Amino acid sequence: MPEAAAWRFQKITAPIMDIPVEHKVLVGRVLTAVGDEVIENGFVEIKDGAIVAVGKASDRTDLDATYVVKTNGTILPGMFNSHAHLAWDGVHDLARQALDDSPEISAYKSATNMLKSLRAGITTVRDLGMNQSNFAAKQAVAQGIFPGPRLLICGEAIVQTGGHTYWCCREASGADEMRRAVREQVRGGADLIKIMASHDLHEFTDEELEAVIDETHRNGLPITAHATFDSIIHRVVKFGIDVVEHGGSLSDETIALLLERKVPIVTTFAPIVQQSVPEIARKFNVPDWKLAERQKAVADKSRYEGLKKAAEAGVPIVFGTDAGSPAVGHEVVSPEMQFMVKVGVVKDNYAAIRSATSVAAKMNKLDSKLGTLEAGKLADVVVVDGNPLEDLKALDNVTMTFVEGKRLV
């Protein structure tokens, strides 16, 4: 493993936010995310930061104890948002935020958006970059400076000089500079590396792409790529990328390659979904021409046929919202999942929930600790009013969020 980030060597006498680990028995409908398992009138017991028991409430003899909470709702694993940008606010222009926001303002935005994430039942955020802001957010959570979800960060996304969203990324040219860019993110404490592999055209030379992927893997980290159409998805997977962000049109040949290499896709429909709703679009000053464009995009199911075919073939589809994009706040969960079901990249509501729990945990190599409600897993647990299997909007009504047994909502 690479050397730890410098802040990891700091001695911490005590966290500023010292939130206690609770002992609770939560009673309600339990969605374990182990397949389609549902325990009606079930319980989840959390203690010392872990899940110690899951089962039927009728098996308990202590339901009148003070540590028992009868939720009258649904209990599910803490969710992952596997594509988010904590330092973007979902309101203002992305480029102007990236160019104009001071590091201090980016930190405040990240803090606010971590709280929004927790209130939405998101207990792990995979932050895919906005300048170097996520380094500070990661440190703040890890050192108990600010309460937040678990963070998996890329540091700065890496882009060819002048490439897609160069104004918020680490620009690099040539193979050696690509390796240097990776090493800088590793030094800062990145959990993964992200590259911007395309916009309208392919980006990176073959030598650059080979170098950035090799250097990432040499450092023991996964690498993910912004890739939005068939030829670029095929290219980056062939070169050895581990995850595809966004996805797009997919040929049968590319789907076969994704399956062969076991590469998942993190879909991010929320921007077009949110911006296609007139009252939302106008609230966020989305121009009429873009509203019309978005409405056309959400209505055209053929646009997503390749992703649907990939999912049906067995390519893992993982929940992400591109949170921080215009009109996409970090609390937006159900619109993304509803659209995933609508276009067929997941088969039903439970599969949509698993895309943010068990499937996401597996993609992030955390499935031994997270993603399902099972004894021995870390106590990342969420309680919502209502039944999301009947209506995913129930996920908008989070009443409790625990991260490793600490109640943060």
Side-chain angles (χ1 to χ4, degrees):
M1 291 297 291
E3 191 73 65
W7 60 265
R8 293 282 188 186
F9 298 100
Q10 294 175 356
K11 181 180 179 180
I12 303 297
T13 304
I16 297 172
M17 292 292 296
D18 195 7
I19 299 169
V21 174
E22 297 192 23
H23 175 212
K24 293 292 180 189
V25 175
L26 305 173
V27 177
R29 178 184 303 102
V30 177
L31 309 183
T32 64
V34 178
D36 287 328
E37 185 178 33
V38 181
I39 308 173
E40 295 289 351
N41 194 30
F43 77 90
V44 177
E45 182 173 8
I46 62 177
K47 188 177 183 179
D48 298 328
I51 298 170
V52 296
V54 180
K56 297 179 180 179
S58 58
D59 294 337
R60 304 285 306 201
T61 59
D62 59 348
L63 294 184
D64 293 325
T66 56
Y67 51 77
V68 174
V69 179
K70 297 177 181 178
T71 69
N72 298 314
T74 301
I75 306 162
L76 62 150
M79 293 182 284
F80 288 65
N81 188 342
S82 288
H83 191 123
H85 304 275
L86 285 169
W88 276 334
D89 58 26
V91 178
H92 298 94
D93 179 81
L94 301 185
R96 292 304 349 149
Q97 289 186 78
L99 292 165
D100 299 342
D101 283 358
S102 67
E104 293 84 357
I105 288 299
S106 292
Y108 275 111
K109 287 184 176 182
S110 296
T112 297
N113 290 328
M114 286 193 288
L115 292 179
K116 284 188 170 187
S117 298
L118 290 170
R119 291 169 184 167
I122 302 294
T123 60
T124 303
V125 171
R126 186 167 168 264
D127 187 300
L128 295 188
M130 200 297 284
N131 296 331
Q132 298 182 13
S133 57
N134 57 28
F135 287 136
K138 175 98 175 183
Q139 180 180 351
V141 173
Q143 293 185 333
I145 297 168
F146 194 86
R150 182 180 298 97
L151 298 184
L152 304 172
I153 65 169
C154 74
E156 291 180 283
I158 298 170
V159 62
Q160 70 175 37
T161 300
H164 182 44
T165 66
Y166 69 89
W167 28 262
C168 68
C169 297
R170 170 51 161 96
E171 293 179 275
S173 290
D176 287 346
E177 188 66 13
M178 291 293 162
R179 292 185 185 275
R180 179 185 295 273
V182 171
R183 293 174 186 180
E184 288 173 359
Q185 311 322 307
V186 172
R187 179 183 62 194
D191 302 291
L192 67 149
I193 298 298
K194 181 192 179 187
I195 62 170
M196 307 298 288
S198 68
H199 187 39
D200 296 329
L201 302 171
H202 290 209
E203 302 196 357
F204 298 97
T205 65
D206 286 357
E207 293 77 13
E208 289 171 336
L209 194 54
E210 184 178 65
V212 75
I213 294 172
D214 176 70
E215 191 63 32
T216 300
H217 289 159
R218 227 175 47 78
N219 279 278
L221 298 185
I223 182 167
T224 193
H226 170 108
T228 55
F229 52 91
D230 182 66
S231 61
I232 188 60
I233 295 169
H234 192 278
R235 182 185 184 218
V236 294
V237 174
K238 189 174 181 180
F239 268 82
I241 213 79
D242 298 300
V243 181
V244 169
E245 305 297 325
H246 308 297
S249 57
L250 291 166
S251 65
D252 290 343
E253 182 182 8
T254 299
I255 292 171
L257 184 62
L258 287 162
L259 289 168
E260 176 192 330
R261 301 290 178 88
K262 299 180 180 179
V263 175
I265 300 173
V266 181
T267 54
T268 55
F269 300 119
I272 63 167
V273 171
Q274 293 291 94
Q275 294 168 24
S276 72
V277 180
E279 54 269 32
I280 296 175
R282 294 191 177 102
K283 180 181 177 181
F284 292 98
N285 296 320
V286 174
D288 288 344
W289 66 266
K290 180 165 277 191
L291 170 61
E293 180 185 85
R294 295 310 201 196
Q295 289 178 329
K296 183 178 179 181
V298 299
D300 182 10
K301 291 184 73 172
S302 67
R303 179 187 177 110
Y304 313 102
E305 193 59 34
L307 287 169
K308 180 183 177 184
K309 285 178 66 177
E312 291 172 344
V315 174
I317 303 296
V318 181
F319 172 87
T321 66
D322 216 355
S325 294
V328 186
H330 290 256
E331 72 282 6
V332 171
V333 171
S334 66
E336 178 78 31
M337 289 194 187
Q338 287 173 313
F339 199 73
M340 294 173 80
V341 176
K342 178 181 177 181
V343 299
V345 299
V346 292
K347 66 177 183 178
D348 56 25
N349 289 5
Y350 208 154
I353 292 168
R354 286 196 300 273
S355 77
T357 53
S358 57
V359 178
K362 185 174 181 179
M363 182 193 79
N364 288 297
K365 295 182 170 55
L366 291 172
D367 48 313
S368 65
K369 300 178 180 180
L370 297 165
T372 58
L373 298 181
E374 296 179 275
K377 296 283 183 83
L378 295 176
D380 279 28
V381 182
V382 171
V383 180
V384 301
D385 278 339
N387 184 356
L389 298 184
E390 295 177 353
D391 187 349
L392 285 165
K393 288 184 179 179
L395 296 175
D396 299 337
N397 302 310
V398 172
T399 59
M400 283 186 276
T401 299
F402 293 86
V403 177
E404 295 188 28
K406 296 180 178 182
R407 188 175 358 182
L408 298 183
V409 174

